[in-house]
Amino acid sequence: MADFIIGIDGGGTSCRAAVADPQGTILGRGKSGSANILTDPNSAIQSIGEAAEAAFRDARLPVGEVRNAAAFLGLAGTNVGNLTQYVRERLPFRHTDIDSDGLIALQGAIGDAEGSVAILGTGTIFMARKDSKVHYIGGWGFTIGDLGGGARLGHALLQEALLAHDGIRQGSTVTDAVLNEFRHDPTAMVEFARLSKPGDFGRYAPLVFQHAEQEDPGALALLGQAARSVNEALDAITRIGGHERLCLLGGLAPLYPAWLEPRHRKILVAPQADALAGAVALAAKRHQARAGGAA
Amino acid sequence: MADFIIGIDGGGTSCRAAVADPQGTILGRGKSGSANILTDPNSAIQSIGEAAEAAFRDARLPVGEVRNAAAFLGLAGTNVGNLTQYVRERLPFRHTDIDSDGLIALQGAIGDAEGSVAILGTGTIFMARKDSKVHYIGGWGFTIGDLGGGARLGHALLQEALLAHDGIRQGSTVTDAVLNEFRHDPTAMVEFARLSKPGDFGRYAPLVFQHAEQEDPGALALLGQAARSVNEALDAITRIGGHERLCLLGGLAPLYPAWLEPRHRKILVAPQADALAGAVALAAKRHQARAGGAA
């Protein structure tokens, strides 16, 4: 029987951990480097261990107790089955449950309730809980998915600026801003785009929101298209999760509400807690289920 | 004074050459491998030499005469200045002129006339000749350009199929065809897309035209958007090249006319000749200019 539980929120930028008592009361938090199991599983394993130890130190608990803990990990890239298995076998915890980063975000945002959650960041993913089952829509990545996400929106802005440069479409202040940044050199834009990762495109997304607020027609058209994609996906996810609550997460969550359909806006709720708290809550649930099973 | 002239049409798939007398009458043709100066300039140099020698053999001319010839090369990727210089210095011809693959296509298509030419293939580029000057619009490649090209159209189809799979948008027979091909496995589609080059996406473009002809609503929407992009670019290029003649080239040229605006359709003309013939014609012009200058 584990004495402590651990929640882990592992992503490509950093790995966060929290240690809690078996009831889920958080005692300490820790942070470490990237935990991307797809690009570097061994580094991810190390980061997860480091974040957990940091949380124990933060709680003034003996670091050796990490080995007796029961951990719940929400990780990006868990749809690749073998890697999850590989990582689980090499982690130091007594019990290790691994699920998606989306699931811990949903748990944090709406707790045990039914409803829908949309993560609107560089990419987009839509989740709903109905009858205790969690459903996922989207989240397929930049290449042919993630419509409405920051990367696709920034990409669309660069494309529009190039069309304006060529005189194919009318420019506006938002495309002027981009063209000025690239000194009106289309080859520089094309080269930037060719080397860009989704996050690089995503850095242009706030520019679209800013200019749309000032009613720039170019920005309004781009954002209109992105918001249409988000509205369609929200229609699909609320058909599953119902029309009681919808929670937006991610970097664009504060920016999008004004551009969404009233049917979605009116059911928006603030997140109850973050993904790390969601991981702790799920760790506590699994711990209690095991205790119940053992009783 | 060169005895023979050579036209070269060099692209990523193959390199074609024609040897002609100084008046431009073609005497023989040759072909060799890829001549992509961007990805492999040394292989391109070799392919160009091989194609020229093959043309001389085809004409039953001594291959050693290649060194006395005046060549005009239309090559993809010539907007990168240093590479053109590098290639020119290493070619065996007495005189070497290098310009874009677009220019020789335009010369072949409309000869010395004023007018516009659109290459609608995997990518798209629009050209016009006005007052002896050639103007270019587009042709920036797949990442943020080439709207209306086969790669962008195929990409849009895969994206639409994924939206249909997720229940975000209504599917139709064209998205069903794609989903069936991937056995309704979204991860297989995403993985295919992630590894795809523009030509891989482009192979799905004919499917859109086929289903649009059968009035499939999904295909009509995708093709409508692509045709809108092409119509806009044609508006821009005919503002420069005038409204007398417009010539479509490239793999999608036979498919697009029915979907273009009547103002563009009514000025369509068939190409006079191909890009290789255009290269020979330009080689003859340069040759005569040098002869005139020397006289």
Side-chain angles (χ1 to χ4, degrees):
Chain A
M1 183 73 212
D3 296 322
F4 296 103
I5 61 167
I6 301 175
I8 302 273
D9 175 15
T13 315
S14 67
C15 181
R16 298 186 306 147
V19 56
D21 67 22
Q23 285 69 47
T25 304
I26 291 177
L27 307 170
R29 289 179 174 82
K31 195 175 169 180
S32 64
S34 167
N36 189 325
I37 65 169
L38 276 182
T39 56
D40 192 346
N42 291 318
S43 287
I45 289 161
Q46 196 181 332
S47 291
I48 291 164
E50 286 172 5
E53 290 182 4
F56 273 69
R57 277 195 296 272
D58 183 51
R60 298 176 184 275
L61 291 168
V63 166
E65 285 296 310
V66 163
R67 303 196 159 271
N68 296 321
F72 192 100
L73 291 74
L75 303 179
T78 47
N79 42 351
V80 183
N82 290 343
L83 277 173
T84 302
Q85 177 74 358
Y86 178 90
V87 169
R88 182 186 286 110
E89 285 169 357
R90 284 158 182 79
L91 288 171
F93 316 115
R94 177 171 297 180
H95 300 287
T96 306
D97 289 303
I98 302 183
D99 211 303
S100 72
D101 51 348
L103 182 69
I104 62 171
L106 175 126
Q107 184 69 37
I110 64 171
D112 295 332
E114 293 192 339
S116 304
V117 172
I119 304 182
L120 306 174
T122 301
T124 52
I125 184 165
F126 303 83
M127 299 170 284
R129 188 193 279 119
K130 178 71 178 176
D131 299 332
S132 302
K133 192 168 160 10
V134 177
H135 304 257
Y136 298 86
I137 287 181
W140 297 117
F142 175 72
T143 312
I144 53 169
D146 282 2
L147 276 72
R152 293 299 296 260
L153 189 55
H155 174 269
L157 172 57
L158 289 179
Q159 177 171 293
E160 198 67 26
L162 198 53
L163 290 168
H165 169 85
D166 270 347
I168 294 177
R169 288 209 196 132
Q170 191 87 36
S172 70
T173 61
V174 73
T175 51
D176 288 348
V178 172
L179 289 173
N180 285 335
E181 184 182 325
F182 286 95
R183 299 164 187 271
H184 294 265
D185 177 3
T187 58
M189 288 177 59
V190 170
E191 191 60 9
F192 169 84
R194 202 175 61 80
L195 300 173
S196 282
K197 291 188 158 57
D200 302 314
F201 286 117
R203 278 194 286 281
Y204 288 88
L207 206 61
V208 180
F209 282 95
Q210 285 160 27
H211 283 83
E213 270 163 37
Q214 290 154 34
E215 304 201 354
D216 173 65
L220 286 170
L222 291 168
L223 190 47
Q225 197 165 11
R228 202 148 46 238
S229 298
V230 174
N231 279 318
E232 287 173 343
L234 290 176
D235 284 332
I237 201 69
T238 54
R239 273 196 293 274
I240 299 168
H243 300 275
E244 197 165 327
R245 65 178 62 77
L246 166 65
C247 187
L248 305 184
L249 305 174
L252 300 181
L255 300 176
Y256 254 121
W259 308 96
L260 298 180
E261 294 285 348
R263 64 181 173 276
H264 301 311
R265 250 197 338 256
K266 74 179 185 197
I267 62 168
L268 285 180
V269 297
Q272 293 176 12
D274 66 5
L276 183 58
V280 170
L282 288 166
K285 269 182 206 295
R286 294 290 171 98
H287 182 69
Q288 282 148 25
R290 269 190 300 267
Chain B
M1 184 71 214
D3 297 320
F4 296 104
I5 61 168
I6 301 175
I8 302 274
D9 175 16
T13 315
S14 67
C15 181
R16 297 187 307 146
V19 56
D21 67 23
Q23 285 70 48
T25 304
I26 292 177
L27 307 171
R29 289 182 173 80
K31 196 174 169 182
S32 64
S34 167
N36 189 325
I37 66 170
L38 277 181
T39 55
D40 193 344
N42 291 319
S43 287
I45 290 162
Q46 196 181 333
S47 291
I48 291 165
E50 286 172 5
E53 290 182 5
F56 272 69
R57 276 194 297 274
D58 183 50
R60 299 174 182 274
L61 291 168
V63 165
E65 285 295 309
V66 163
R67 302 198 158 269
N68 296 322
F72 192 100
L73 290 75
L75 303 179
T78 49
N79 42 350
V80 183
N82 291 341
L83 277 175
T84 302
Q85 178 74 2
Y86 177 90
V87 169
R88 182 186 286 109
E89 286 168 356
R90 284 160 182 78
L91 287 172
F93 315 116
R94 178 170 293 179
H95 300 287
T96 307
D97 289 303
I98 301 183
D99 210 305
S100 71
D101 51 346
L103 183 67
I104 60 171
L106 176 125
Q107 184 69 37
I110 63 170
D112 294 331
E114 293 192 339
S116 304
V117 172
I119 304 182
L120 308 174
T122 302
T124 52
I125 184 165
F126 302 85
M127 299 169 284
R129 188 193 279 121
K130 177 70 179 177
D131 299 332
S132 302
K133 192 169 159 7
V134 177
H135 304 256
Y136 298 85
I137 288 181
W140 298 116
F142 176 73
T143 313
I144 53 170
D146 282 2
L147 277 72
R152 294 297 297 261
L153 188 55
H155 175 268
L157 172 58
L158 289 179
Q159 177 171 293
E160 198 67 27
L162 199 53
L163 289 168
H165 168 87
D166 271 346
I168 293 176
R169 287 208 198 132
Q170 190 86 37
S172 69
T173 61
V174 72
T175 51
D176 287 349
V178 172
L179 289 172
N180 286 336
E181 183 181 325
F182 285 95
R183 296 163 187 273
H184 295 263
D185 176 3
T187 58
M189 287 178 60
V190 170
E191 190 62 8
F192 169 84
R194 201 176 62 78
L195 299 174
S196 281
K197 291 189 159 55
D200 301 316
F201 287 117
R203 278 195 285 280
Y204 288 88
L207 206 61
V208 181
F209 282 96
Q210 285 160 27
H211 283 82
E213 269 162 39
Q214 289 153 34
E215 304 203 353
D216 173 65
L220 286 170
L222 291 168
L223 189 47
Q225 197 164 11
R228 203 147 47 239
S229 299
V230 173
N231 280 317
E232 287 173 342
L234 290 176
D235 284 332
I237 201 69
T238 53
R239 275 195 292 274
I240 299 169
H243 301 275
E244 197 166 327
R245 65 177 63 74
L246 166 64
C247 185
L248 305 184
L249 305 174
L252 300 181
L255 300 176
Y256 253 121
W259 308 95
L260 299 180
E261 293 286 349
R263 63 181 174 278
H264 300 312
R265 247 193 345 250
K266 74 180 186 197
I267 62 167
L268 286 179
V269 296
Q272 292 175 11
D274 67 5
L276 182 59
V280 170
L282 288 166
K285 269 182 208 295
R286 294 290 171 98
H287 181 69
Q288 282 147 25
R290 269 190 300 267

